[in-house]
Amino acid sequence: MDLKSSAMSHAAATIVIFGLLFLQAAECRNVKKIKDGVTYSAIKCRKHSALLTDFGAVGDGKTLNTKAFKAAVDHLSKSASKGGAQLIVPPGKWLTGSFNLTSHFTLFLHKDAIIHGTQDESEWPILPVLPSYGRGRDAPDGRFSSLIFGTNLTDVIITGNNGTIDGQGAPWWDKYRKGLLNVTRPYLIEIMYSNHIQISNLTLINSPSWHVHPIYSSYITIQGITILAPVNVPNTDGINPDSCSQLRIEDCYIVSGDDCIAVKSGWDQYGIKVGMPTEHVVIRRLTCISPKSATVALGSEMSGGIRDVRVEDVTAINTESSIRIKTAVGRGAYVKDIYARRVTLKTMKYVFWMTGAYGSHPNNDFDPNALPVIQNINFKEFVAENVSIPAQLDGIANDPFKGICMSNVSISLSANPTKLLWNCTGIEGITSNVTPKACDLLLQQQKPVDCAFPEDKLAIEGFNLTTCFAGFAKV
Ligand SMILES: *[C@@H]1O[C@H](CO)[C@@H](O)[C@H](O)[C@H]1NC(C)=O
Ligand SMILES: *[C@@H]1O[C@H](CO)[C@@H](O)[C@H](O)[C@H]1NC(C)=O
Ligand SMILES: *[C@@H]1O[C@H](CO)[C@@H](O)[C@H](O)[C@H]1NC(C)=O
Ligand SMILES: *[C@@H]1O[C@H](CO)[C@@H](O)[C@H](O)[C@H]1NC(C)=O
Ligand SMILES: *[C@@H]1O[C@H](CO)[C@@H](O)[C@H](O)[C@H]1NC(C)=O
Ligand SMILES: *[C@@H]1O[C@H](CO)[C@@H](O)[C@H](O)[C@H]1NC(C)=O
Ligand SMILES: *[C@@H]1O[C@H](CO)[C@@H](O)[C@H](O)[C@H]1NC(C)=O
Ligand SMILES: *[C@@H]1O[C@H](CO)[C@@H](O)[C@H](O)[C@H]1NC(C)=O
Ligand SMILES: *[C@@H]1O[C@H](CO)[C@@H](O)[C@H](O)[C@H]1NC(C)=O
């Protein structure tokens, strides 16, 4: 921790006036500062530290602080090559528009700090559409920049001891529903073309749309995030890794109006052209509540490919489905080498759901010959209670989903289950120790089979976190 640098910049003029007297006082305050703070785990600690209030911010919930955030990040970016800097957001309600991050930078939110996204649209710059989507998801025109945005960065941390970022999404949800948007809604946090990213120990609420969207990025650690949005609002997905590699998502609790986690990689001809897969992902100790969507969705935008996704120790309650594959003719690419184990489900519409006719195209120029390859999908040790539909598995007629393996799956039915418990078309695979008995397309094995789950660790799991310090006292 560099206690001097922030004190110096703030007080340089004062030193001239008060001389030694000031230095003595500063020393006392520095001792106080060391006590008034917390330690936290991070991929990197920073040499320099500053408070948001050093840049004129006012935490009254009314004053717009966009300029203060920008000034803080601009100023602290000068420390990037000198040991990096952290910006502490102290207790208060900090209203702001969209702002950008910088490299070798930590944004730390005190547990009583709330960043509120302003509802004034002019505070959200409009960015071009993503190359792998070819258009905005909500509307063909551009897209609003996320509340917290970063592009072409390295070594960025967004953390806290459970501070809050509130997107105040209600007016956006309303406009979306009424079809009044010609620009795609902003996300809460988006990181693009970046690597070595950590997002941890925060509560994220009421995003206008998705909550966390890393895209075209790698080496991403997401831990200890609580995400809360009403379960009846549109597209408030939790975490959406998109054309990213080496991700570790652990210990998250997500309640949302859309998928808790949706793994993606671009849309039809645009995603095929960019060709960046999402790969080497581990998702563990996730708790999800999503009555209208999936615990973990793979797709529907998967046109750069999705492979090597490992899901374990997951609980879902009152959720539409567990791990769902969504794709369509025109998507191309693949969803393959998918593994899930130790999944506990309570009150579910579906346990297993695969959809080969999801539709939803960016425009009519998609290639009807671009068939997705769905292969090597492994699910084991699932226990589900109060289930209406054990499985709805729809592959593509001339393009079956292959190599599906399910073992040690126990599903208890709800009071009024569907008549056809396993409804399967266009799929191939095997089952072992699965109840109720699966459809005939998933051949029941006489000898017990244990579906695969990789033994090795991903590279991102080899990165250890170090203990850093965030001081809260005003210097
Ligand atoms: C953030 O950076 C992007 C890309 O450089 C830029 O278009 C946008 O205006 C910046 N946003 C803000 C709030 O400065
Ligand atoms: C960011 O990186 C992308 C991909 O490497 C590149 O196309 C783009 O020009 C970069 N943008 C900036 C602002 O450096
Ligand atoms: C962050 O969360 C983890 C659990 O996910 C916890 O062990 C750790 O103490 C938390 N750190 C802070 C600074 O709150
Ligand atoms: C963080 O805050 C949220 C919202 O108040 C709460 O639900 C969650 O349990 C807290 N997490 C931790 C680790 O304290
Ligand atoms: C969106 O529509 C508004 C009102 O119709 C118009 O003023 C604005 O220029 C449009 N924005 C874009 C990016 O097309
Ligand atoms: C079972 O699921 C139904 C919805 O299908 C729900 O209404 C009911 O409360 C659930 N029962 C239990 C015991 O969780
Ligand atoms: C089985 O799924 C098909 C869609 O593939 C659907 O049309 C049909 O109604 C389902 N059958 C039953 C009995 O639920
Ligand atoms: C899976 O089920 C088999 C019986 O088919 C049993 O021998 C095995 O112990 C089970 N494995 C786990 C991890 O539950
Ligand atoms: C991370 O810590 C583990 C356990 O202490 C150790 O085996 C491993 O070598 C460390 N990795 C790195 C990259 O330092």
Side-chain angles (χ1 to χ4, degrees), residues 9-32:
S9 60
H10 198 248
T14 327
I15 291 172
V16 179
I17 303 166
F18 292 102
L20 270 176
L21 192 66
F22 170 81
L23 288 174
Q24 271 168 1
E27 215 139 82
C28 290
R29 280 195 291 266
N30 284 348
V31 170
K32 180 173 178 289

Side-chain angles (χ1 to χ4, degrees), residues 38-41 108 159-162 200-201 223-225 250-251:
V38 294
T39 56
Y40 64 96
S41 297
F108 187 100
T159 189
N161 56 341
N162 207 13
S200 59
N201 293 60
Q223 288 174 333
I225 296 289
E250 295 173 335
D251 300 299

Side-chain angles (χ1 to χ4, degrees), residues 293-315:
S293 272
T295 311
V296 177
L298 305 166
S300 81
E301 304 89 335
M302 39 62 69
S303 303
I306 295 174
R307 69 178 158 219
D308 189 12
V309 177
R310 309 163 181 201
V311 180
E312 61 185 357
D313 301 306
V314 164
T315 300

Side-chain angles (χ1 to χ4, degrees), residues 1-2 5-6 9 40 42 44-51 54-55 71-89 101-108 154-159 468-471:
M1 230 42 41
D2 181 2
S5 59
S6 49
S9 60
Y40 64 96
K44 205 96 178 228
C45 300
R46 308 301 180 197
K47 202 168 167 212
H48 304 272
S49 187
L51 291 169
D54 294 343
F55 302 89
V73 174
D74 282 352
H75 178 76
L76 296 175
S77 67
K78 292 175 195 149
S79 301
S81 59
K82 299 173 213 151
Q86 68 183 356
L87 178 63
I88 310 283
V89 183
L101 302 174
T102 188
S103 291
H104 307 292
F105 178 77
T106 299
L107 182 68
F108 187 100
T154 187
D155 180 18
V156 179
I157 302 170
I158 308 171
T159 189
C468 309
F469 181 79

Side-chain angles (χ1 to χ4, degrees), residues 217-230:
S217 295
S218 60
Y219 293 96
I220 301 163
T221 302
I222 300 177
Q223 288 174 333
I225 296 289
T226 300
I227 296 178
L228 307 171

Side-chain angles (χ1 to χ4, degrees), residues 151-153 192-193 216:
T151 190
N152 303 71
L153 303 180
M192 205 158 99
Y193 299 120
Y216 318 134

